């Protein structure tokens, strides 16, 4: 259930007993403005938009509420890219741009990049939607490397030349040990590596 005004503790308890999910402003949740919210909910891709954001500083997690009321949990560390010129301020946050972005102080992140990283179903859907896209292991390595902001030289035990050959598709079936090292650098399993 989506409520457009803050709830009292009693109302929240009743609604939570009646509905599987209850989302309302207040209690640390920042919502889209009413006009942006209406646009986000009316769009065909509402499940791919964020309509509310909450931050838990103790556990260093950001909870994002999507237009279909599903949630995505994102650790603070994901927003702290060493390549970013601006650092996120997790005390000042909100969904922005009709739900396609989130803001933490001066720092902004695109919702599609977050969903691509944290929602395998979204990642598969986007990958399947792109006609003619390179769906090889090398394509997955290149996409994930770019997503994580890594260079070809950032893979211990694998030469830049070898990573380049894999990404260009010159190595059709990399050795399992090589895939293990690549996946370990990304912090994913070999099986998950193939979904990017």
């Amino acid at each position: 259930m989506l409520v457009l005004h803050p709830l009292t503790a009693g109302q929240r308890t009743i609604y939570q007993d009646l509905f599987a999910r209850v989302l309302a402003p207040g209690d640390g949740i920042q919502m889209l403005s009413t006009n942006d919210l209406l646009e986000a909910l009316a769009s065909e891709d509402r499940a791919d938009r964020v309509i509310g954001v909450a931050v838990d500083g103790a556990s260093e997690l950001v909870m994002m509420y999507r237009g279909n009321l599903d949630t995505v949990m994102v650790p603070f560390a994901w927003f702290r890219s060493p390549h970013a010129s601006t650092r996120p301020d997790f005390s000042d946050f909100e969904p922005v741009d009709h739900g396609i972005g989130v803001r933490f102080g001066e720092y902004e992140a695109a919702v599609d990049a977050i969903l691509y990283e944290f929602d395998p179903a979204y990642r598969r859907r986007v990958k399947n939607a792109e006609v003619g896209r390179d769906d090889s292991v090398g394509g997955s390595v290149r996409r994930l490397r770019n997503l994580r902001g890594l260079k070809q030289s950032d893979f211990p035990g694998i030469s830049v030349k070898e990573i380049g050959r894999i990404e260009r598709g010159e190595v059709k079936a990399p050795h399992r040990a090589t895939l293990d090292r690549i996946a370990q650098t990304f912090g994913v399993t070999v099986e998950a590596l193939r979904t990017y």
Side-chain angles (χ1 to χ4, degrees):
M1 175 176 193
L2 176 62
V3 181
L4 299 180
H5 58 80
L7 297 173
T8 66
Q11 289 172 321
R12 183 169 296 280
T13 300
I14 291 169
Y15 289 155
Q16 287 175 333
D17 285 345
L18 295 172
F19 300 99
R21 293 184 184 106
V22 177
L23 179 60
D27 294 332
I29 298 174
Q30 295 294 325
M31 304 278 294
L32 284 172
S33 69
T34 303
N35 289 338
D36 284 359
L37 180 63
L38 292 173
E39 181 180 323
L41 293 175
S43 70
E44 290 181 15
D45 66 343
R46 69 183 150 274
D48 300 335
R49 295 185 186 224
V50 170
I51 62 171
V53 177
V55 171
D56 181 3
S59 61
E60 294 195 347
L61 288 172
V62 174
M63 171 82 79
M64 294 196 236
Y65 298 90
R66 297 163 76 168
N68 61 358
L69 299 186
D70 284 348
T71 57
V72 176
M73 301 288 286
V74 184
F76 282 11
W78 188 84
F79 299 101
R80 293 180 178 146
S81 167
H83 306 289
S85 58
T86 305
R87 305 294 286 175
D89 176 0
F90 295 108
S91 66
D92 178 20
F93 59 92
E94 67 179 338
V96 293
D97 298 329
H98 312 284
I100 62 169
V102 290
R103 181 189 62 76
F104 301 97
E106 297 295 316
Y107 179 95
E108 288 192 16
V111 169
D112 60 349
I114 295 165
L115 294 178
Y116 195 86
E117 178 75 17
F118 292 96
D119 182 351
Y122 174 85
R123 190 168 46 246
R124 280 190 297 276
R125 189 165 29 89
V126 167
K127 188 174 177 182
N128 291 336
E130 293 184 21
V131 177
R133 183 171 177 174
D134 179 5
D135 63 351
S136 68
V137 171
S140 293
V141 169
R142 183 182 60 253
R143 285 186 292 276
L144 187 53
R145 181 177 61 76
N146 289 331
L147 180 69
R148 297 283 172 85
L150 297 175
K151 299 180 297 240
Q152 288 181 335
S153 60
D154 290 335
F155 296 86
I158 307 171
S159 70
V160 171
K161 181 178 178 180
E162 184 67 10
I163 291 292
R165 290 182 67 232
I166 291 169
E167 288 185 357
R168 289 189 301 274
E170 294 171 11
V171 177
K172 299 292 183 198
H175 294 280
R176 177 63 190 214
T178 301
L179 288 175
D180 286 340
R181 281 191 223 119
I182 291 171
Q184 183 177 16
T185 299
F186 288 135
V188 300
T189 65
V190 171
E191 293 72 25
L193 174 67
R194 297 175 189 273
T195 69
Y196 284 88

